[in-house]
Amino acid sequence: MNSEFRHLPSVDRLLADRRLKRLSQTYSHTLLVDLVRRQLEDARQAISAGSPCPPLDDIVAAVSAQLNFLESPSLHPAVNATGVILHTNLGRALLSQEAISAMDAVAAGYCNLEYDLDSGRRGSRQVHVEPLLCQLSGAEAALVVNNNAAGVLLALTALAKRKEVIVSRGQAVEIGGSFRIPDVMRQSGAKLVEVGTTNCTYIADYEQALSPRTVALMRVHASNFRQIGFIHQASLEELIDLAKCRSVPVFDDLGSGCFLDTAAFGLDPEPMVPQSVSAGAALTLFSGDKLVGGPQAGIIVGRQEYIAKLRRHPLARAVRIDKIRLAGMAVTLIHYLKGEALTKIPVWRMISTPITEIDRRAHLWAQALGSRAKVTDGETMVGGGSLPGGTLPTKLVAVGGKSRSPGRAQSLAQKLRFQKVPVIGRINEDILLLDPRTVLPDEDKVVLGALRDLAAGLK
Ligand SMILES: *Cc1c(COP(=O)(O)O)cnc(C)c1O
């Protein structure tokens, strides 16, 4: 046998080490023993592969490093200076202070989640949001679930299983993160009947595809791409007219969906929830954490007879929303009712921030970087599966460029990502760009600290 194995310390010897003894005051014995065993196993494998036995100090250090890794949460705040407001990888919509407080309160204590205080009996968690959604959308009924993907899956499973749903070929899309309309249809057991062509679908295409097996027409908003040139999609109104004649419902997956008009800010018009409802969609489905600006959720509004079927379906339980997000969603919706969404909901505050204010902050940021940075004109994207073509004018802090060392922007970006609170920018043609529009004013001091650090390192 390889003599190196004999140098390996025993588990007990390691646990008796002064440093691990100190750790045993904080961590459970079982955890320490487990980590020590794992390190010894790694050492054995290294020895088998021809390495010498690691010194005891190294093994102790590895155990301590592993503990350090396990106890520091890997999910933590970051500053989004990318210029994409609804950045799915950075967590989409930020919440209003009021929504956060409401979520805090129900997280810390019991609440009347499914408890009717009048009767003292069991109630429904949906009562906390349904009246608000009906008021805001004009719909008869509403249901909030885990996310919009779950909402679409639930609707198709409960209402279209083993039946046909007609979708335009140009709308059988992939939203990202493996959510593809054809796959969701298959999963639900509904049969997708694609009509039209990639660029053009006319109402006559739907008409020809209608059969006794058709249970619904579905419209899917092209939320993350834009077609230009020779294109046509039948309008929601045409779909609803046709569906009415044949007594089938129209399901309208808006993706983002919103209650405020994006066109008022110079953005492309994004479909609005009340319009979909008043046009006559039987179900309108959208996300809670895109332009609505609330916590992750799937919102379904529409006709009572359909919503009731969704509510009763066993899948509804599997995709139900938790109490914490429900509390945040209710307060977010109340902001719209009170007409204070623009000032309270961060997504809309970002959209409506005047360019002069962005310019002021961009100059402040650039100053922290000294002569290396300049302020340039740029564009903020709404992102997150909404407004693929629409952007807002903004001011960007640009660092690097015309450098003789390619990849410099990458290394600057990495330095900002490695800050205690990571600051995430975007890179364009080897220039690092930072957009104050997607950063809360309260976060400026974090950004300024990071930028000063970066500047100091470059001296
Ligand atoms: C974003 C989006 C979805 C998925 O919504 P999630 O809330 O992310 O699950 C579904 N359909 C469309 C059209 C979308 O844009």
Side-chain angles (χ1 to χ4, degrees):
M1 186 172 114
N2 185 338
S3 69
E4 287 295 319
F5 283 114
R6 263 177 305 200
H7 298 310
L8 268 181
S10 68
V11 173
D12 285 340
R13 163 114 188 273
L14 279 163
L15 290 175
D17 179 273
R18 178 176 46 82
R19 290 156 291 182
L20 291 191
K21 268 219 154 98
R22 202 173 330 115
L23 288 173
S24 72
Q25 290 166 3
T26 319
Y27 299 99
S28 80
H29 183 69
T30 337
L31 173 62
L32 276 177
V33 171
D34 200 44
L35 294 182
V36 163
R37 288 216 171 106
R38 209 170 325 148
Q39 288 309 323
L40 285 173
E41 183 50 39
D42 286 356
R44 260 180 228 113
Q45 283 187 6
I47 294 171
S48 301
S51 304
C53 174
L56 182 120
D57 280 359
D58 286 10
I59 301 178
V60 170
V63 169
S64 153
Q66 186 63 22
L67 275 175
N68 227 325
F69 170 77
L70 287 176
E71 74 159 9
S72 5
S74 68
L75 181 61
H76 49 70
V79 172
N80 171 18
T82 60
V84 180
I85 295 177
L86 294 168
H87 198 301
T88 297
N89 302 140
L90 298 181
R92 286 199 190 153
L94 304 190
L95 304 176
S96 74
Q97 279 312 318
E98 290 80 356
I100 294 166
S101 304
M103 293 166 90
D104 254 11
V106 298
Y110 292 106
C111 59
N112 59 334
L113 177 65
E114 291 186 347
Y115 188 84
D116 179 18
L117 293 169
D118 288 338
S119 66
R121 295 219 185 88
R122 179 168 184 193
S124 155
R125 66 181 61 206
Q126 299 293 334
V127 301
H128 307 296
V129 281
E130 189 177 17
L132 298 168
L133 284 165
C134 291
Q135 182 62 43
L136 285 169
S137 67
E140 291 169 10
L143 179 67
V144 175
V145 295
N146 179 59
N147 59 9
N148 190 27
V152 174
L153 179 65
L154 173 62
L156 292 172
T157 310
L159 303 172
K161 195 170 193 154
R162 285 188 282 275
K163 305 270 178 46
E164 294 179 359
V165 177
I166 306 177
V167 179
S168 158
R169 194 156 268 129
Q171 296 176 3
V173 297
E174 173 171 317
I175 305 303
S178 74
F179 182 87
R180 291 174 149 197
I181 291 295
D183 294 342
V184 176
M185 287 259 181
R186 202 167 310 123
Q187 187 59 41
S188 72
K191 180 162 186 274
L192 167 66
V193 177
E194 278 184 59
V195 297
T197 61
T198 304
N199 56 329
C200 293
T201 304
Y202 302 93
I203 193 65
D205 296 319
Y206 290 87
E207 202 165 357
Q208 278 159 27
L210 272 162
S211 83
R213 291 175 307 280
T214 307
V215 274
L217 311 184
M218 180 151 148
R219 180 176 82 148
V220 182
H221 179 53
S223 51
N224 54 0
F225 69 102
R226 186 162 71 171
Q227 287 189 319
I228 51 170
F230 183 59
I231 51 169
H232 183 86
Q233 288 293 339
S235 70
L236 182 62
E237 287 71 17
E238 285 178 303
L239 289 185
I240 286 164
D241 278 349
L242 173 64
K244 247 190 214 135
C245 296
R246 307 299 185 94
S247 310
V248 291
V250 172
F251 303 155
D252 194 14
D253 176 7
L254 294 184
S256 182
C258 55
F259 295 111
L260 293 176
D261 186 7
T262 51
F265 303 94
L267 289 161
D268 288 350
E270 180 76 14
M272 293 176 65
V273 178
Q275 269 77 326
S276 170
V277 173
S278 67
L283 292 179
T284 302
L285 306 102
F286 51 104
S287 285
D289 56 346
K290 292 182 180 172
L291 280 168
V292 171
Q296 181 191 303
I299 303 175
I300 312 171
V301 298
R303 293 225 294 276
Q304 180 65 44
E305 56 174 307
Y306 296 106
I307 297 279
K309 280 190 184 144
L310 303 193
R311 227 181 250 139
R312 284 196 301 268
H313 194 276
L315 195 55
R317 170 60 188 257
V319 300
R320 80 176 178 186
I321 187 165
D322 68 284
K323 61 177 180 176
I324 299 174
R325 289 183 289 144
L326 198 61
M329 183 53 72
V331 171
T332 304
L333 296 172
I334 291 170
H335 288 320
Y336 288 98
L337 281 186
K338 287 181 164 173
E340 60 185 24
L342 276 187
T343 54
K344 298 277 190 184
I345 299 177
V347 169
W348 289 97
R349 275 173 60 178
M350 288 172 180
I351 289 176
S352 60
T353 305
I355 190 89
T356 47
E357 175 58 14
I358 310 268
D359 188 54
R360 187 188 65 76
R361 292 171 59 207
H363 278 96
L364 213 63
W365 291 15
Q367 254 168 33
L369 280 164
S371 57
R372 289 167 201 88
K374 62 176 202 279
V375 175
T376 67
D377 290 333
E379 285 168 295
T380 306
M381 280 158 282
V382 175
S386 52
L387 300 160
T391 58
L392 289 160
T394 196
K395 296 286 177 178
L396 301 170
V397 175
V399 204
K402 294 205 203 84
S403 139
R404 262 157 281 137
S405 49
R408 172 121 182 290
Q410 291 287 356
S411 111
L412 292 172
Q414 190 191 49
K415 287 200 174 86
L416 288 180
R417 286 203 306 274
F418 285 0
Q419 289 280 329
K420 194 150 145 276
V421 179
V423 176
I424 323 276
R426 70 171 192 258
I427 291 172
N428 187 24
E429 294 176 350
D430 213 29
I431 300 177
L432 172 64
L433 300 171
L434 303 170
D435 186 347
R437 191 188 286 280
T438 53
V439 177
L440 295 174
D442 284 353
E443 295 174 317
D444 269 3
K445 44 187 180 309
V446 174
V447 176
L448 291 172
L451 295 180
R452 283 191 198 111
D453 235 47
L454 188 67
L458 296 176
K459 278 202 178 105

